[in-house]
Amino acid sequence: METFMNILITILVLTFQFLFTGSHHHPLDPLNPNEISKIQQIITTSHLSSLPNLNFHFVDLDEPDKKDVIKWLSSEKQNQSFPHRQAKVVVRGGGKTHEIIVNLTNGSITSDHVYKGDGYPPLTLTELVQAARLPFNSSKFKDLVARRGLNISGITCFPFTIGWFGESITRRAVKLSCFYRERTNNVFSMPIEGLTILVNIESMQITSIISKRGKTTLPEADGTQLFSSVSSFGERPDPINNRSFTINGHNINWKNWRFHVGFNARAGVIISTTSIFDSGKQEWRRVLYRGHISETFVPYMDPSSEWYYRTFFDVGEFGFGRSAVSLVPLIDCPSNAAYLDGYMAGGDGLPQKVPRAICIFERYTGDIAWRHTEVNWYSRESGESEVNLVVRMVATVGNYDYILDWEFKQTGSIKVKVGLSGVLEMKPTTQTKADQIKEETYGPLIAENRRGNNHDHFITYYLDLDIDGEDNSFVQANLQVKKAKASPRKSYWTVVKETAKTEDEARLRLGMKVSEMFLVNPNKKTKLGNNVGYQLMTGQPAVSLLVDDDFPQIRASYTKYQVWVTAYNKSERWAAGFYVDRSTGKDGLAIWSHRNRSIMNKDIVLWYTVGFHHNPCQEDFPAMATLTNGFELRPVNFFERNPLLKS
Ligand SMILES: *[C@@H]1O[C@H](CO)[C@@H](O)[C@H](O)[C@H]1NC(C)=O
Ligand SMILES: *[C@@H]1O[C@H](CO)[C@@H](O)[C@H](O)[C@H]1NC(C)=O
Ligand SMILES: *[C@@H]1O[C@H](CO)[C@@H](O)[C@H](O)[C@H]1NC(C)=O
Ligand SMILES: *[C@@H]1O[C@H](CO)[C@@H](O)[C@H](O)[C@H]1NC(C)=O
Ligand SMILES: *[C@@H]1O[C@H](CO)[C@@H](O)[C@H](O)[C@H]1NC(C)=O
Ligand SMILES: *[C@@H]1O[C@H](CO)[C@@H](O)[C@H](O)[C@H]1NC(C)=O
Ligand SMILES: *[C@@H]1O[C@H](CO)[C@@H](O)[C@H](O)[C@H]1NC(C)=O
Ligand SMILES: *[C@@H]1O[C@H](CO)[C@@H](O)[C@H](O)[C@H]1NC(C)=O
Ligand SMILES: [Cu+2]
């Protein structure tokens, strides 16, 4: 939940690699380590090298235009390297943010533009590590720790982003909160309350230390340890060492699906150019051009001075790919999994590797894909068990672990799941029994001397669906109850469909109203004359309950609706805007949508927010069992018939 990570562990897994020699089989392939090194070299030997304190905050493929990608993939050249490789780089130096485009084909800087708007680029890992170390060089901090009777060698501090609360912002800053590591392997279970350190990230100095003494005691470490009762899944009994998928670079082929798996520091896994083979038509048909997590918003419901600013945007402030952990075989992924490494640039611009950042495996769900028993003359069963293909990544953002799955079904469905696990952010209290609590609290007692503060998780997905081509429409189907006439029945329901004409008509708050949502291609029909489409099957709905003019809500205004549809624009990908650290809500999904562009029979993008209102409970301690929510994109009149049944 916080814009920091388990710094020590991460440093251990980051190794540098320069020996990669892959060619580009796909225009959307992520930057490889050679390219990242080349970018670093181009920038550090350019006019930018004279900037004081030069740091790389964002290094990513500058995505080619969709029409060029589609053209390339449908030409004979598809197996050759895509020739036009460009990178988008954001560096800071001399107190300024530079947006740079690097042409990787001829090794030159195409443009360099100083960004002057609100907000800052993601914090670098180097900055976070440096900030976390600052207190240990402060005699005031050491003194405060000693006066609390704590051992300085047992303390770990983590930087939290601080948001924006209406002030005019002049510099980048974070607040450190500290935890006691001694006697437990669960550092987040031992918060040291009443000690906040404000750090100026630009000068890398402590601005102030705020100490509230004697308010609470440090909770006991008993029962906080994280031990597993079983060490792993073990070998699976079913002999499924035969993989029926192939990985060629970043291209995956499995059964009737083919797609591309990318990775970057900001979004983590990116699924692109997804097509499904239609055996009836004997052709590949397009479904999802590009899908990934766009932003997360995690506001805590505690307005006190030490907690009010905890309103995190992990993707934009820090990065989900940046927080990707190396997956552990047989715990994170089953024995039949294949793995892909992830690469990104560090604060110094040099390539860093996350080994086994993504796993891909066939999932024998144990469910029935379809079945029927014919009982008329004789009993005859037919059916199939379900086998899906999963692409998985885990982002550990400080105390929380997000398990992120894209699951492909042979029926044409894509299921997207978000699992929450890890350790809660806790607030120490002197109370040990729920009935001692008389005053208003910001979260229930979940263990002795610990409260689990209430909070939300909003995970917003960018879904550029291109159902059978770019031009699609967004259709809502509402169920209307009608009175029956001339019938023994008194009522029935019927479906009323409405196509959204503009972006204004495509913002939805789900809940009471029964509504089904589809992306259809109005230019393509089945033989029966229905428009081909995909349905968005939503999970448990949750929208932000903060008032509209609350500062964190201004920054996350898009969380007031779960569903948005916007006109496609390559540069509109990050729901809270590109510069999220200390942003003021001047960029992002809500702003784009209010342009009220036409979205009927146009290239459009669907945005869906998976939400959790988290009111913690005792089972969330010492680590919470995975809690899952998500959505499904399901074909509706896309195929002529159920694609699982051979004709
Ligand atoms: C590209 O390579 C794949 C795998 O090697 C092969 O099956 C396919 O026919 C090739 N396509 C073209 C257009 O050469
Ligand atoms: C990058 O450089 C190459 C070689 O000079 C050139 O052909 C290409 O047009 C450049 N790309 C862009 C986007 O300017
Ligand atoms: C690279 O290509 C760009 C765009 O075509 C051009 O402006 C620039 O001069 C080229 N640089 C070099 C070093 O060739
Ligand atoms: C810690 O403080 C000492 C003395 O003021 C200084 O020499 C040293 O550079 C500081 N170290 C860091 C990491 O700031
Ligand atoms: C502080 O912690 C260190 C490392 O665990 C230990 O060696 C030392 O004895 C501790 N000091 C006190 C005063 O507890
Ligand atoms: C893999 O598939 C082949 C051919 O279908 C079969 O002969 C073999 O037993 C399978 N191996 C496992 C471990 O399932
Ligand atoms: C695309 O989006 C960017 C950012 O919102 C905007 O500046 C630009 O004008 C848009 N382009 C078009 C063609 O609408
Ligand atoms: C959005 O555009 C539609 C169609 O032009 C119009 O009817 C509607 O009033 C517009 N909404 C706003 C808020 O301007
Ligand atoms: Cu939670």
Side-chain angles (χ1 to χ4, degrees), residues 62 85-86 100 115 152 156 159 204 246 311 337 347 383 389 527 569 632:
D62 185 40
R85 295 283 285 176
Q86 290 210 129
I100 299 154
Y115 172 74
I152 188 90
T156 300
M204 205 44 84
T246 58
T311 54
L389 188 76
K527 284 182 194 149
N569 174 330
E632 182 170 334

Side-chain angles (χ1 to χ4, degrees), residues 21-66:
T21 52
S23 61
H24 300 289
H25 293 297
H26 195 292
L28 298 174
D29 276 350
L31 295 172
N32 69 36
N34 277 342
E35 291 174 318
I36 295 170
S37 297
K38 193 168 163 187
I39 293 160
Q40 192 266 356
Q41 205 175 19
I42 292 165
I43 289 179
T44 54
T45 54
S46 74
H47 65 283
L48 294 155
S49 64
S50 60
L51 294 174
N53 198 13
L54 182 71
N55 268 299
F56 290 75
H57 290 260
F58 181 85
V59 178
D60 192 19
L61 175 73
D62 185 40
E63 191 181 315
D65 285 341
K66 192 192 273 195

